Amino acid sequence: MTKREAIHKELAAIYKQGATLAVSFQKKEDKQFHYDYQSWYTKALKAVASLAPDRHAEFRGYYEVDPKRKSLGYGTYVIQDYLKGVAPGGYQYEGFDTRKQVLQCFLNQLTILNAVKERIDSVLSNIEGELYAELQDNEVAVARQLLKVSPRAAGALVGVLIEGHLQKVANSHGIKIAKKSPTIADLNDPLKAASVIDTASWRKISFLADLRNLCSHKKDVDPTKEQVEELIAGAEWLTKNVF
């Protein structure tokens, strides 16, 4: 099971647990609502905070008492009030159904949680993309440091970065590459054929492939510092502009 599948499964379990508890509460069949709800809320709150931070405050608002609240009644009664045994008083609140108010807040939380389920893939993709971009930036920084010691080694490192990025671009566009360990050229040509990159980009990547080969294969002439600097700059351009 992948991490993404595990998150889907866990969130579905949390939603199901909450929905079951809400039905029991509505039918007045709940035996220990205070305990069961607190257990569910702790897990659900963490899931919302991680996957939908923009809905986090709203989710909490159906449970927690607003410290700025000036009156207790319809529209301000929350689940925490019920768990504390608090209810509005006065003739204007005769017949105030605390369970009905709690159920409405609970259903609103379940609605938010259900919406979060539909956002998992996009949220995880964004996170993965950010982590991948950070990793690429780190590799470029390492290559620049390595350049001071060995231009050939720095060029070989950034060449692997270029190949990995082009492979990721090919995968995201559903382009199958015949070779198991494709070179930059093996990846560049299919991307151009599929119109993922234009001719100008193809030529630039082809030039980077030549520089990479100069660094990766033992030849009589070593790559110059300037050539490797150009390769590193090209890799940085590639990762920021070709997707």
Side-chain angles (χ1 to χ4, degrees):
M1 182 183 296
T2 65
K3 185 67 174 178
R4 185 171 302 217
E5 290 170 339
I7 293 175
H8 271 288
K9 184 178 180 179
E10 177 64 21
L11 198 58
I14 295 173
Y15 178 82
K16 183 178 180 180
Q17 180 188 358
T20 300
L21 181 58
V23 171
S24 297
F25 184 78
Q26 184 178 30
K27 295 179 177 180
K28 299 183 179 180
E29 296 175 350
D30 55 293
K31 303 298 182 182
Q32 47 181 10
F33 180 76
H34 288 61
Y35 173 80
D36 291 338
Y37 176 80
Q38 292 283 21
S39 175
W40 174 84
Y41 177 73
T42 299
K43 291 184 288 186
L45 182 67
K46 185 176 181 180
V48 173
S50 299
L51 298 171
D54 56 314
R55 306 297 299 275
H56 184 240
E58 180 186 359
F59 190 87
R60 289 179 58 185
Y62 290 117
Y63 167 75
E64 294 183 8
V65 174
D66 185 349
K68 297 180 180 180
R69 184 174 67 182
K70 297 181 179 179
S71 62
L72 179 63
Y74 296 104
T76 61
Y77 193 82
V78 292
I79 297 173
Q80 195 174 53
D81 291 318
Y82 179 82
L83 298 180
K84 291 179 178 180
V86 176
Y91 71 91
Q92 71 270 35
Y93 290 113
E94 288 184 12
F96 185 91
D97 190 338
T98 57
R99 293 181 70 92
K100 182 178 180 181
Q101 296 301 312
V102 167
L103 183 61
Q104 184 59 57
C105 289
F106 197 176
L107 291 177
N108 287 340
Q109 288 181 324
L110 285 169
T111 299
I112 293 174
L113 193 62
N114 189 57
V116 172
K117 285 167 52 181
E118 299 176 357
R119 293 172 54 175
I120 291 178
D121 289 335
S122 62
V123 170
L124 292 182
S125 293
N126 289 338
I127 293 174
E128 289 172 357
E130 291 173 2
L131 291 176
Y132 181 68
E134 184 177 346
L135 178 62
Q136 289 179 320
D137 290 341
N138 289 339
E139 288 183 339
V140 168
V142 170
R144 285 206 166 98
Q145 290 299 316
L146 189 56
L147 177 61
K148 300 174 183 178
V149 180
S150 171
R152 182 181 291 279
L157 173 63
V158 83
V160 174
L161 170 62
I162 293 173
E163 287 178 351
H165 184 76
L166 290 176
Q167 181 68 71
K168 185 176 178 63
V169 173
N171 292 341
S172 67
H173 288 275
I175 301 172
K176 293 184 178 180
I177 307 299
K179 287 189 177 181
K180 290 184 179 181
S181 301
T183 64
I184 294 176
D186 295 329
L187 293 157
N188 193 27
D189 291 343
L191 290 175
K192 181 177 181 294
S195 299
V196 174
I197 57 175
D198 57 19
T199 301
S201 296
W202 175 82
R203 287 174 178 163
K204 190 165 186 175
I205 295 170
S206 295
F207 176 65
L208 296 179
D210 292 337
L211 291 177
R212 199 269 186 176
N213 290 336
L214 184 60
C215 296
S216 299
H217 303 295
K218 290 293 184 179
K219 296 182 179 180
D220 295 335
V221 180
D222 286 330
T224 65
K225 181 180 178 182
E226 290 71 23
Q227 287 173 321
V228 177
E229 285 177 341
E230 195 165 7
L231 180 60
I232 293 174
E236 203 165 24
W237 161 82
L238 180 71
T239 57
K240 299 290 190 297
N241 293 278
V242 178
F243 305 100

